[in-house]
Amino acid sequence: MSKIILITGASRGFGKIWAKALLKRGDKVAATARNTESLNDLVAEFGDAVLPIQLDVTDRLASLAAVNKAKEHFGRIDVLINNAGFGLFGAIEETTEEQARQQMETNFFGLLWVTQAVLPIMREQKSGHIIQVSSILGLVTLPVLGLYNASKYAVNGLSETLAAEVKGFGINVSLIEPNGFSTDWSGASAAQTEAIEIYAPVRQAFAEAATPDGWGNPDATADAVLALIDSQNPPLHFLLGKVAYPFITSVYADRIAQFDEWKEVSAAAHGH
């Protein structure tokens, strides 16, 4: 039986690729974008199987209305893919209040609003799968991406908690955590701080560490995401790309070694 999928941020990148892959195999997709003209090609190819919805996820009431529109149109929502978001590049000291708030409003609060909107529907259905597009930078960090890192750490903390809260309702939660991919995330969709010269060496080291082989092909992710959606027992953490696993396990091994080094001091602080 075909699934009903709601995807935010479907105008380009992962959202557009995954929406098209789902539609091609016969699923139905409610696709949101700030500008629905970016979805005209999907409508032309797939007709009534796709429902374009204009949405700025930072608007809580609009997010609720968009989710309800998808439910009313298709009758149910089997899967939510919270994909809307962008990258903010720059040192933490360089980041303005407006930039910091906008990063969190979109990447964290926007995801929260759509998640809250879909939960009553999935609880009533006694089934559903909420897929949050996070990042390996919700598990580890890189310099000059401090606010982006923080937004994805927030998404991971929220979603791990959510998974425990809704498991009894038949709702699964998964975090898609990609390494770098050649999407607009680091290009046209990205925001930049105004540079402070003293951080130039940090930015240069970051740029030099990004080799072409380290960037994945976004079109190659479709089969993996379809497998995640079809899984009867989907993972909470789902890594995408060949860089993700070795990078994360290396960082976590160093963390555990540091915990071990300080464990006696840590335990003594308990007081009894």
Side-chain angles (χ1 to χ4, degrees), residues 111-154:
L111 174 143
L112 173 59
W113 306 147
V114 179
T115 298
Q116 286 183 327
V118 85
L119 281 170
I121 295 168
M122 290 185 173
R123 281 194 293 101
E124 184 179 2
Q125 294 171 174
K126 298 182 173 58
S127 67
H129 190 182
I130 296 173
I131 298 175
Q132 318 283 41
V133 180
S134 182
S135 168
I136 60 169
L137 301 183
L139 296 167
V140 296
T141 62
L142 287 173
V144 305
L145 281 162
L147 269 295
Y148 182 81
N149 295 335
S151 73
K152 295 305 186 179
Y153 264 69

Side-chain angles (χ1 to χ4, degrees), residues 25 54 92 107 116 124 128 152 161 164 184 190 199 204 209 237 247 252 263:
R25 73 172 192 172
Q54 193 281 326
I92 290 170
N107 290 9
Q116 286 183 327
E124 184 179 2
K152 295 305 186 179
T161 306
D184 286 339
Y199 290 104
Q204 183 177 350
H237 293 277
F247 181 27
Y252 273 52
K263 65 182 178 182

Side-chain angles (χ1 to χ4, degrees), residues 1-70:
M1 187 173 67
S2 66
K3 295 179 184 291
I4 309 299
I5 322 289
L6 171 61
I7 305 178
T8 68
S11 63
R12 62 176 80 180
F14 284 145
K16 190 71 164 285
I17 291 165
W18 300 342
K20 191 166 186 176
L22 288 159
L23 290 162
K24 273 188 172 181
R25 73 172 192 172
D27 291 325
K28 296 179 180 179
V29 174
T32 83
R34 286 175 178 259
N35 181 358
T36 55
E37 289 184 4
S38 62
L39 304 171
N40 287 348
D41 57 332
L42 294 181
V43 175
E45 185 172 356
F46 299 103
D48 292 341
V50 56
L51 173 66
I53 303 174
Q54 193 281 326
L55 177 62
D56 175 353
V57 295
T58 66
D59 184 331
R60 188 175 189 274
L61 293 180
S63 294
L64 179 64
V67 170
N68 288 336
K69 182 176 182 179

Side-chain angles (χ1 to χ4, degrees), residues 86-90 95 99-100 103 144-148 185 190-193:
F86 71 96
L88 172 62
F89 288 75
T95 306
Q99 288 173 324
Q103 180 77 122
V144 305
L145 281 162
L147 269 295
Y148 182 81
W185 172 79
Q192 303 280 345
T193 62

